[in-house]
Amino acid sequence: MSIYQFAKSIALLAGQRIREELSQELIIETKSNPNDLVTNMDKATEAFLVSQINEQYPDHRIIGEEGHGQDVTDTEGYLWVIDPIDGTLNFVHQQQNFAISIGIFHNGEKYAGVIYDVMNDKLYHAEAGHGAYLNDQQLPALKDTKLVTSIISMNPNWLTKERTRDMYVPIVQAARSARSYGSAALDFAYVALGIIDSYITLRLHPWDFSGGLIIAEEVGAVVSNQLGEKLDPLHSNSILVANPGLHQELLNDYLGPYRSRLSEIHQGQFSNR
């Protein structure tokens, strides 16, 4: 079994475990703020994934949202970047609209991405250079769109904050419509699927975007931060993912005029890069 096939298999197993234990009482804790939640299910799912990877590939390294891999400072060898439950707020309140996300890199290069929409039993996956799939169906290459005919996804919180609202409100006003799904992994998957045309957010951690980055780029999406710079699996960043035409329009016409402010925000938030 290849590493790619193995990654898919453990995502499916982890999702099955979550579904089987949904009726169990959740222990909910907060992290950085009252809305940044972690549950015993997040921790148990990450522990399961890590144990599976360590047993099969003891020389591989892992970065996980719930604490694994804090000492990883380079991308040599095989690196797994995992989010056991992306969309924990959705998981707690809705018991749907959350996903398991896995991104795998080899010597800093993309190897494979897996996003498992647990409750809908939809597995998005890609091996770099071989296309992206939803279950067994290969996804077609994305077509360019204009903002005026596009559906975008953006967290409404960015539209209310004084420092960002004048950057983002015009994008929402110009778009055909806007959505907010509450799971970065699913946002990436939906761009790859073509049911939204762009996902825009000001801060994601590597475990939020690594799996989706690989899948989206396999169908031709352009993924960058909001300064147009490449992402890497060791550092948090802002996100702009879209089909190529829309990515260029958003970057040049809407975010470009605020480049100085965005640079200041990036320097303040991501100064450890």
Side-chain angles (χ1 to χ4, degrees), residues 192-223:
L193 192 59
I195 60 175
I196 60 174
D197 302 294
S198 179
Y199 172 49
I200 306 165
T201 191
L202 194 53
R203 182 178 178 86
L204 286 186
H205 297 292
W207 45 81
D208 297 314
F209 65 73
S210 289
L213 161 72
I214 296 168
I215 293 168
E217 288 190 341
E218 278 299 304
V219 294
V222 179
V223 183

Side-chain angles (χ1 to χ4, degrees), residues 59-63 71-81 104-109 232-234:
D59 58 329
H60 290 194
R61 294 183 297 165
I62 305 165
I63 297 175
D71 58 340
V72 176
T73 59
D74 63 70
T75 56
E76 292 183 7
Y78 279 99
L79 176 65
W80 296 64
V81 186
I104 310 172
F105 300 82
H106 184 228
N107 293 328
E109 298 297 323
D232 76 76
L234 295 181

Side-chain angles (χ1 to χ4, degrees), residues 57-104:
Y57 304 108
D59 58 329
H60 290 194
R61 294 183 297 165
I62 305 165
I63 297 175
E65 179 176 11
E66 307 311 332
H68 290 86
Q70 297 301 317
D71 58 340
V72 176
T73 59
D74 63 70
T75 56
E76 292 183 7
Y78 279 99
L79 176 65
W80 296 64
V81 186
I82 61 176
D83 192 338
I85 297 181
D86 183 78
T88 299
L89 272 173
N90 291 347
F91 173 69
V92 169
H93 288 272
Q94 304 171 349
Q95 294 195 339
Q96 59 181 332
N97 299 319
F98 63 90
I100 296 167
S101 177
I102 299 172
I104 310 172

Side-chain angles (χ1 to χ4, degrees), residues 22-236:
L22 274 180
S23 61
Q24 303 299 314
E25 182 180 0
L26 283 179
I27 301 171
I28 303 169
E29 304 171 39
T30 60
K31 295 192 286 187
S32 62
N33 63 69
N35 295 323
D36 185 11
L37 305 182
V38 61
T39 73
N40 55 316
M41 190 73 76
D42 294 78
K43 295 177 181 180
T45 302
E46 181 163 305
F48 171 77
L49 292 169
V50 169
S51 68
Q52 294 292 306
I53 297 165
N54 284 338
E55 181 177 345
Q56 188 75 13
Y57 304 108
D59 58 329
H60 290 194
R61 294 183 297 165
I62 305 165
I63 297 175
E65 179 176 11
E66 307 311 332
H68 290 86
Q70 297 301 317
D71 58 340
V72 176
T73 59
D74 63 70
T75 56
E76 292 183 7
Y78 279 99
L79 176 65
W80 296 64
V81 186
I82 61 176
D83 192 338
I85 297 181
D86 183 78
T88 299
L89 272 173
N90 291 347
F91 173 69
V92 169
H93 288 272
Q94 304 171 349
Q95 294 195 339
Q96 59 181 332
N97 299 319
F98 63 90
I100 296 167
S101 177
I102 299 172
I104 310 172
F105 300 82
H106 184 228
N107 293 328
E109 298 297 323
K110 297 176 297 180
Y111 170 70
V114 176
I115 294 171
Y116 185 38
D117 180 347
V118 174
M119 302 310 294
N120 290 312
D121 193 25
K122 292 183 176 180
L123 186 71
Y124 303 86
H125 55 97
E127 184 178 11
H130 297 278
Y133 292 80
L134 169 53
N135 297 329
D136 296 326
Q137 183 81 32
Q138 184 167 6
L139 301 181
L142 296 178
K143 297 180 180 179
D144 285 348
T145 63
K146 297 289 188 182
L147 183 57
V148 69
T149 60
S150 296
I151 295 178
I152 65 166
S153 180
M154 178 184 292
N155 187 325
N157 287 333
W158 300 120
L159 305 176
T160 65
K161 297 181 184 297
E162 183 176 356
R163 199 176 187 190
T164 56
R165 63 190 177 201
D166 58 335
M167 292 192 296
Y168 297 141
V169 166
I171 296 175
V172 173
Q173 290 174 330
R176 173 163 283 171
S177 191
R179 302 286 185 269
S180 180
Y181 294 100
S183 165
L186 291 178
D187 278 305
F188 272 90
Y190 294 162
V191 172
L193 192 59
I195 60 175
I196 60 174
D197 302 294
S198 179
Y199 172 49
I200 306 165
T201 191
L202 194 53
R203 182 178 178 86
L204 286 186
H205 297 292
W207 45 81
D208 297 314
F209 65 73
S210 289
L213 161 72
I214 296 168
I215 293 168
E217 288 190 341
E218 278 299 304
V219 294
V222 179
V223 183
S224 73
N225 70 8
Q226 291 179 22
L227 296 170
E229 300 167 339
K230 185 178 179 180
L231 308 180
D232 76 76
L234 295 181
H235 299 101
S236 301

